[in-house]
Amino acid sequence: QVQLVESGGGVVQPGGSLTLSCAASGFIFSNYGMHWVRQAPGRGLEWVSFMRHDGSKKYDADSVKGRFTISRDNSKKTVYLQMNSLRPEDTAVYYCAKADGVATLEYWGQGILVTVSS
Amino acid sequence: QSVLTQPPSASGTPGQRVTISCSGSSSNIGSNTVNWYQQLPGTAPKLLIYTNDQRPSGVPARFSGSKSGTSASLAISGLQSEDEADFYCATWDDSLNALVFGGGTKLTVL
């Protein structure tokens, strides 16, 4: 069965950095694109970033462009989200999700909390 | 302000039929297929409807989706108490080169 497990969350000061990881299993990781989506406390879902199966193309939300970088290591079946220049408004639960095609988020991880606070 | 517009809330009694709308534009719903996600309280979202009207394995037939022009709808028939959840529509936006979500609709079963 498909499993996605996020790690690397925690509390960080404004302006700081954090890297999230998402370890995948149960499917051929190198065949599928991967997304990051976040949800601020009490708010709706906000898409963050997407990377194609082979890393050849990626897309980012305007709210994180220039600050967040998605990457992947197909040999480790892991997708990453490098987050720099963090702001309080980046506080959220971050989910990784397996894509079917580009825009269908077929399976989701359980989420990991990132808190940006001094 | 979300690119896709959903009503913030919807409600119904057990056994009733409820619909949730999702309105967009030519660059998103008008050009691409729509997916729906269900988020039960305290859990991660789950794919509920894909490609406008397809149900993943395991999703009851009580859930159905449709799309017309720049709008989409999710219908839930035979409402059950365990259907209480937040529902989100989503699609790709060709102008933004981004995945866009609706603001979400909180469904209450009275």
Side-chain angles (χ1 to χ4, degrees), chain B residues 60-99:
Chain B
R62 305 185 293 104
F63 295 92
S64 62
S66 64
K67 176 188 139 175
S68 178
T70 59
S71 293
S73 289
L74 173 71
I76 309 169
S77 59
L79 203 59
Q80 299 180 4
S81 58
E82 55 260 40
D83 296 335
E84 275 207 346
D86 294 323
F87 294 86
Y88 297 89
C89 59
T91 186
W92 190 259
D93 190 297
D94 292 335
S95 294
L96 298 174
N97 269 330
L99 186 74

Side-chain angles (χ1 to χ4, degrees), chain A residues 39 44 47 95 103-105 108-109, chain B residues 35 37 39 44-45 47 88 98-99:
Chain A
Q39 186 170 34
W47 173 76
Y95 298 99
T104 300
L105 280 61
W108 297 62
Chain B
N35 303 311
Y37 301 90
Q39 186 175 31
L47 180 63
Y88 297 89
L99 186 74

Side-chain angles (χ1 to χ4, degrees), chain A residues 27-105:
Chain A
F27 64 100
I28 301 174
F29 182 75
S30 57
N31 285 357
Y32 294 92
M34 295 293 294
H35 288 270
W36 286 98
V37 175
R38 67 184 181 183
Q39 186 170 34
R43 306 295 296 272
L45 301 175
E46 180 188 14
W47 173 76
V48 174
S49 193
F50 168 77
M51 176 168 271
R52 285 193 194 275
H53 66 98
D54 58 0
S56 62
K57 187 81 174 174
K58 55 185 177 179
Y59 301 93
D60 300 306
D62 285 345
S63 58
V64 306
K65 259 177 199 160
R67 300 188 302 124
F68 291 11
T69 302
I70 188 172
S71 63
R72 63 190 294 158
D73 185 334
N74 285 347
S75 67
K76 294 183 178 178
K77 301 179 185 178
T78 300
V79 62
Y80 305 96
L81 187 68
Q82 169 73 41
M83 303 184 293
N84 297 328
S85 303
L86 281 160
R87 306 165 179 167
E89 55 264 37
D90 295 319
T91 294
V93 173
Y94 285 73
Y95 298 99
C96 65
K98 170 186 177 287
D100 181 18
V102 173
T104 300
L105 280 61

